[in-house]
Amino acid sequence: MVRIAEIQSALKEANIDGWLFYSFRGNDPIAGEILEMAPGGPMATRRWLYLIPQTGEPVKIVHSIERDTLAHLPGRKLIYLPWKQLHGFIKDELLALAPGRAPRVAMQYSPNGAIPYVSRVDAGTIELIRSFGVEVVTSATLVATFESTVSDEQLASHETAAKYLYEIVQNAFDEVGRRLKNRMPTTEYDIQRNIMNAFADRGMVTHDAPIVGVNGNAASPHYEPTIDLNAPIKEGDFVLIDLWAKLMEPASIYADITWTGFVGKQAPDEMTRVFNIVRDARDAAAQFVIDAVRAGRPISGAQVDDVSRGVIVKAGYGEHFIHRTGHSIQTEIHGNGANIDNLETEDSRLLIPRTLFSIEPGIYLEGRFGVRSEIDMYVGEREARVTGGSPQRELLCVLA
């Protein structure tokens, strides 16, 4: 059930007169998710809009040949045919939100494209809405509130998934050691299949197969072995394993972790040093979140990124940390809440209660090896914590 009353309460608190959802051929998946547009539902090849005012009844604006597009939603229905009628309906309904002044209306838009994850409405449509004398504001915080928060049951599903991932990743490294000790030829793909089988055994699903990267492949953050493209794993190699999955249950939440290891009895000093820097960057960011939430101090994803990145920059590896520190986690591995990012975007969205995200700094030495250490965190009302298990503290030595 779409949470109309809660959305209206949030609009009032934010001093926003309405939230206008707009979609043309599914160009806004956020609208589809928040408004619970069922896959395979009524045909929607024409523009539709749904306006939730701060007070009063929502309004549906749908095309004459697709009158049932928003049939599952409450509200008054306006049916348009010519484009001039569409424009007239939109203008009249928006201006009625705040007679005598310019209404403030939230849309899936981000000023200057700063947060592309919520920038879903095309520039022309934004121009049209503004031409009616309407102030368009970003819906980023509203999206985070109604798209990225989790229920107690969802949090429990995430905790279980994260617990399983900690077991699976350690078993995967044990499998590497077992195979090599028994002189069995072993590849990245073999270990990837081992992990996928472990997911199936525990009733887990994933959108993409895990990353298993050896040496230079570990220095490519989104490398993925396949049956046709993979590298052997041998003694003396560096191995990175990044795995993410969720329970095979409705509305379950992903977990996502990364561990690294050296295939030998004692890792080279450089690998150990780089791992320790990445670990310290991870822990500094996590502690920053924990302290801020405990103190009731609002913080943004960008601020957390600055903390972890600062540790790596100070250690002299700043140019080798080539991605954001973390991402929102929800029913999809990359959710629509605040990301831990002040590199790829300036994510000024605040970390709000009942949300999950990853902390995963990395140092990537191209052609040699790459270290990433990833944990998941949950933010509650007055506490924040790492989920699932104990983070990796030392570089694994697989044959020790």
Side-chain angles (χ1 to χ4, degrees):
M1 179 69 69
V2 178
R3 298 146 65 184
I4 302 296
E6 293 179 54
I7 290 174
Q8 290 182 318
S9 177
L11 290 170
K12 185 174 183 179
E13 184 176 348
N15 193 30
I16 297 172
D17 297 302
W19 190 352
L20 181 62
F21 295 87
Y22 164 84
S23 183
F24 176 61
R25 297 193 173 186
N27 66 318
D28 182 6
I30 293 173
E33 291 161 2
I34 292 176
L35 299 180
E36 299 181 4
M37 304 289 289
M43 187 177 295
T45 66
R46 304 301 197 270
R47 289 172 286 183
W48 61 258
L49 298 97
Y50 189 66
L51 175 62
I52 302 178
Q54 187 185 112
T55 59
E57 186 180 24
V59 178
K60 301 180 265 191
I61 303 178
V62 294
H63 193 276
S64 179
I65 67 171
E66 295 176 347
R67 300 181 181 209
D68 294 329
T69 298
L70 304 179
H72 69 292
L73 294 171
R76 178 166 46 92
K77 179 159 63 176
L78 300 175
I79 300 168
Y80 75 90
L81 183 55
W83 65 264
K84 290 182 180 180
Q85 187 178 34
L86 170 63
H87 288 192
F89 283 158
I90 297 172
K91 180 178 180 179
D92 291 347
E93 294 301 323
L94 292 179
L95 294 183
L97 294 174
R101 65 171 174 83
R104 300 181 75 237
V105 175
M107 297 186 74
Q108 270 73 279
Y109 142 83
S110 177
N112 301 315
I115 305 174
Y117 312 99
V118 296
S119 191
R120 298 292 185 170
V121 180
D122 64 278
T125 298
I126 296 293
E127 290 171 354
L128 175 67
I129 301 302
R130 286 175 172 162
S131 76
F132 299 146
V134 174
E135 179 187 356
V136 179
V137 300
T138 181
S139 63
T141 298
L142 292 168
V143 169
T145 300
F146 292 98
E147 178 65 11
S148 68
T149 55
V150 299
S151 66
D152 289 343
E153 294 77 14
Q154 287 180 308
L155 177 59
S157 78
H158 164 82
E159 290 278 12
T160 300
K163 174 178 174 289
Y164 286 161
L165 292 191
Y166 276 94
E167 296 173 359
I168 292 169
V169 75
Q170 293 179 66
N171 290 343
F173 278 108
D174 288 345
E175 178 68 5
V176 172
R178 184 190 70 80
R179 293 172 69 101
L180 293 185
K181 287 174 182 176
N182 289 315
R183 302 185 183 279
M184 296 174 61
T186 302
T187 68
E188 298 165 330
Y189 184 74
D190 292 329
I191 302 305
Q192 184 192 67
R193 290 301 95 192
N194 174 273
I195 295 170
M196 290 296 288
N197 290 336
F199 288 167
D201 290 343
R202 290 167 173 80
M204 304 178 78
V205 294
T206 182
H207 187 272
D208 295 295
I211 295 171
V212 181
V214 171
N215 300 329
N217 292 337
S220 176
H222 281 180
Y223 169 80
E224 181 181 341
T226 68
I227 191 170
D228 298 316
L229 178 65
N230 60 77
I233 300 176
K234 309 179 301 299
E235 186 169 354
D237 285 343
F238 182 93
V239 179
L240 178 149
I241 299 178
D242 184 354
L243 62 168
W244 53 93
K246 63 179 180 177
L247 302 183
M248 200 179 304
E249 299 173 355
S252 62
I253 305 297
Y254 267 91
D256 185 8
I257 65 172
T258 305
W259 282 49
T260 49
F262 173 71
V263 185
K265 295 182 178 180
Q266 183 173 346
D269 290 344
E270 183 185 24
M271 290 182 182
T272 300
R273 182 174 67 254
V274 171
F275 172 86
N276 289 344
I277 293 167
V278 171
R279 176 202 62 201
D280 292 348
R282 178 200 71 196
D283 291 349
Q287 193 62 50
F288 177 74
V289 173
I290 291 168
D291 292 344
V293 173
R294 183 180 296 138
R297 185 175 71 252
I299 55 172
S300 68
Q303 288 175 284
V304 184
D305 182 271
D306 287 344
V307 172
S308 71
R309 197 167 304 279
V311 173
I312 292 176
V313 168
K314 184 176 180 181
Y317 287 93
E319 65 184 291
H320 301 290
F321 184 7
I322 56 176
H323 57 70
R324 63 193 176 194
T325 291
H327 58 83
S328 169
I329 297 174
Q330 234 276 339
T331 54
E332 297 298 330
I333 185 59
H334 295 103
N336 287 320
N339 294 317
I340 311 305
D341 187 10
N342 199 20
L343 175 72
E344 300 175 42
T345 69
E346 182 186 7
D347 204 322
S348 57
R349 291 176 291 180
L350 299 180
L351 302 184
I352 62 175
R354 305 200 68 84
T355 57
L356 290 151
F357 52 87
S358 69
I359 299 284
E360 48 180 302
I363 293 174
Y364 306 94
L365 305 178
E366 187 174 358
R368 300 177 60 213
F369 67 94
V371 176
R372 180 163 63 256
S373 186
E374 180 177 14
I375 58 175
D376 298 338
M377 293 196 72
Y378 171 73
V379 170
E381 294 293 340
R382 291 304 294 264
E383 57 96 22
R385 56 183 173 80
V386 176
T387 62
S390 298
Q392 184 177 5
R393 302 300 313 163
E394 298 178 349
L395 183 65
L396 288 176
C397 291
V398 176
L399 300 180

